[in-house]
Amino acid sequence: MSEYKNIVIVGASSAGQLLANYLSPNLPTSHRIVLIDALDYAFWPIAALRAAVVPGWEKKVTAPLTQDTVFPAGSIHRLIAPNKVVELKENSVVLEKPFEGSNEVPFFKCILATGAQQPSPMRPAADSTKQGWEDALVKTQNEIKQANKIVVVGGGAVGLEIAGEIRAAHPDKTITVVHSSEHVLNPTADAPDPKGKTHSYSSPPTLPKLSITLEKVLKEMKIDVITSDKVIIPASQSTPEEWSGAFGLQDGLKTVKLQSGKTLEADYVFVSIGNKPNVSLVEKADKGAVISGLVDVDDYLRVISDTPNSPLSKNYYAIGDCSSTPGWKTCMGADYDAKGCAINIANEAKGKAPKKYVRPTLAAMMIPLGPEKGAGTLTFPVVGTWQVPGAMVKAAKGGKLLVEDLFYGRFKGSKKVAADV
């Protein structure tokens, strides 16, 4: 058995790895971090859409998850990857493969940073290897190159960004975005929950002016946008000329039907699906700790539950995409959660009271449409949300997609991380 009290972090994506970085210099020497991930590589979703279109970018969106890329030489903290947590217990987690001679890792506190899932190319499949995901991205690049008429289902951030990336790389293709709302993104708030529940995975509404600006930029880029309509996704193919509902490259030009009765021609269909939080481990341990598809947390980021004597309500925290913290599920939000959680875990390790977490008001919504164009907003305390020009989006995000600064930069180990080219 280890001489240390373990701080287990389940998930080494943005929130989990950032938490390890913030926590490691502030823990007593009696405590160590045990960071666990199912994959042996990290990936950067922010640049995944460009990697699905532009050759060479598939090598920029992954990095090896190893002891010497994550932690400095001589560190007492440990990375366990690739390995899966298969069960959550009150004071331990159970692993698929042994660590230090046992499949069970006891802990002082456990933080769930399991993130969310999306189909490739946005994120790799749960069991995908680094090479497997890179190969899938190259396959998507080649299929998009072959296509002539592309329909993008959904005009949220993912749908708009993939349309922009395709247009920047392929000026002559026909691109149509179909969105169910009156304007792109999410400029109107969702209806309140009749049960009065405040937590939801639905993003906060975006600035209406941002939607209008993006629609103008899309028009300038010769990307057609159909709003207040939906693509009918069939369960099977009725005739050889009709779209079967299969995503990606089609075996010829197909007819895509809309609810309005309109039809579109497409030989490539991209469905922009939002994040689905990874909460299956929590549901297995205690369904009462899940609310609106998220791990329910209190004002201290501690897991809470409707179940009496829940095994998760004493020593578990949750942060990032899987947790019910309010606000956009973005890298900035994950960073805020990690900082807040690090303070509370360090306080508990030192015998101090945790501190109430309030996510900072400052927030950014940057929508690049390829490397040169886009639009965005910044939300400030007191003064509210303001639109920023496309040049700022290009400088802050669109050009390099934060790969070097925020992705490679989060690796603090003795072995430096760079593009795998």
Side-chain angles (χ1 to χ4, degrees):
M1 182 174 290
S2 171
E3 60 185 289
Y4 301 106
K5 294 182 179 179
N6 292 322
I7 307 294
V8 169
I9 303 173
V10 183
S13 56
S14 290
Q17 195 173 352
L18 289 169
L19 173 60
N21 292 342
Y22 294 133
L23 195 54
S24 57
N26 296 303
L27 282 176
T29 55
S30 56
H31 293 65
R32 72 168 177 179
I33 297 165
V34 178
L35 179 62
I36 306 169
D37 201 272
L39 302 176
D40 62 358
Y41 65 97
F43 56 90
W44 189 234
I46 287 175
L49 295 174
R50 184 165 300 167
V53 177
V54 182
W57 269 83
E58 74 279 358
K59 298 291 187 181
K60 300 180 181 182
V61 295
T62 61
L65 268 180
T66 64
Q67 180 71 24
D68 55 3
T69 60
V70 174
F71 294 116
S75 174
I76 65 170
H77 308 303
R78 290 290 175 265
L79 173 76
I80 307 177
N83 205 336
K84 291 182 180 179
V85 174
V86 296
E87 185 180 356
L88 305 176
K89 294 186 175 183
E90 187 170 9
N91 298 300
S92 65
V93 296
V94 180
L95 301 176
E96 186 176 66
K97 296 178 288 188
F99 169 69
E100 295 183 338
S102 174
N103 287 69
E104 197 159 337
V105 181
F107 59 72
F108 171 72
K109 297 294 175 183
C110 178
I111 305 92
L112 303 173
T114 49
Q117 56 185 305
Q118 288 174 290
S120 183
M122 283 80 81
R123 300 173 192 252
D127 57 351
S128 177
T129 63
K130 178 174 176 290
Q131 187 61 53
W133 192 42
E134 290 178 3
D135 290 346
L137 291 171
V138 171
K139 182 174 182 287
T140 302
Q141 294 168 13
N142 292 331
E143 290 182 345
I144 288 173
K145 185 178 180 180
Q146 293 177 53
N148 292 304
K149 294 188 175 183
I150 298 167
V151 170
V152 177
V153 183
V158 170
L160 299 187
E161 288 189 33
I162 192 67
E165 294 292 347
I166 294 172
R167 170 58 73 236
H170 304 286
D172 297 327
K173 297 187 186 300
T174 299
I175 305 170
T176 304
V177 177
V178 183
H179 191 54
S180 59
S181 299
E182 186 177 357
H183 293 284
V184 298
L185 297 183
N186 183 39
T188 55
D190 294 325
D193 190 312
K195 296 182 180 179
K197 299 289 188 180
T198 57
H199 296 311
S200 171
Y201 199 73
S202 299
S203 293
T206 50
L207 188 71
K209 185 179 178 181
L210 175 60
S211 297
I212 301 299
T213 299
L214 284 167
E215 288 168 6
K216 289 180 180 178
V217 177
L218 290 163
K219 185 175 181 180
E220 292 170 3
M221 297 175 73
K222 297 182 179 179
I223 296 172
D224 296 325
V225 178
I226 297 174
T227 56
S228 302
D229 209 343
K230 289 184 178 181
V231 170
I232 298 172
I233 303 178
S236 60
Q237 192 171 30
S238 301
T239 67
E241 295 78 21
E242 292 186 359
W243 178 47
S244 67
F247 308 147
L249 186 67
Q250 309 297 307
D251 59 349
L253 210 57
K254 303 298 179 183
T255 300
V256 176
K257 296 180 180 180
L258 309 186
Q259 283 188 350
S260 63
K262 295 178 182 177
T263 60
L264 299 171
E265 289 187 329
D267 53 8
Y268 192 97
V269 180
F270 183 96
V271 178
S272 53
I273 300 173
N275 292 337
K276 181 181 179 182
N278 286 321
V279 298
S280 58
L281 277 172
V282 174
E283 288 178 326
K284 181 180 176 182
D286 175 18
K287 291 183 179 179
V290 176
I291 181 172
S292 298
L294 296 159
V295 182
D296 201 5
V297 296
D298 64 11
D299 291 338
Y300 301 88
L301 297 173
R302 298 175 300 201
V303 175
I304 54 178
S305 173
D306 291 338
T307 305
N309 302 315
S310 168
L312 307 181
S313 60
K314 292 182 180 179
N315 296 315
Y316 281 85
Y317 285 71
I319 60 173
D321 283 3
C322 73
S323 76
S324 65
T325 50
W328 288 317
K329 299 300 183 182
T330 61
C331 184
M332 180 179 282
D335 184 66
Y336 286 150
D337 287 2
K339 287 177 180 174
C341 189
I343 291 171
N344 285 344
I345 297 297
N347 279 353
E348 292 216 53
K350 297 170 185 176
K352 299 179 181 179
K355 181 180 178 181
K356 187 175 180 179
Y357 169 70
V358 178
R359 181 179 277 194
T361 303
L362 180 64
M365 172 60 72
M366 302 286 182
I367 309 295
L369 301 175
E372 300 293 331
K373 298 181 181 294
T377 58
L378 288 173
T379 301
F380 300 94
V382 183
V383 298
T385 300
W386 293 76
Q387 186 166 313
V388 297
M392 184 179 292
V393 175
K394 174 186 174 182
K397 182 180 179 182
K400 296 183 178 179
L401 295 173
L402 308 169
V403 169
E404 294 184 7
D405 294 338
L406 296 189
F407 183 41
Y408 299 161
R410 82 183 192 215
F411 289 83
K412 305 300 183 183
S414 55
K415 184 177 180 180
K416 299 304 176 185
V417 169
D420 184 15
V421 295

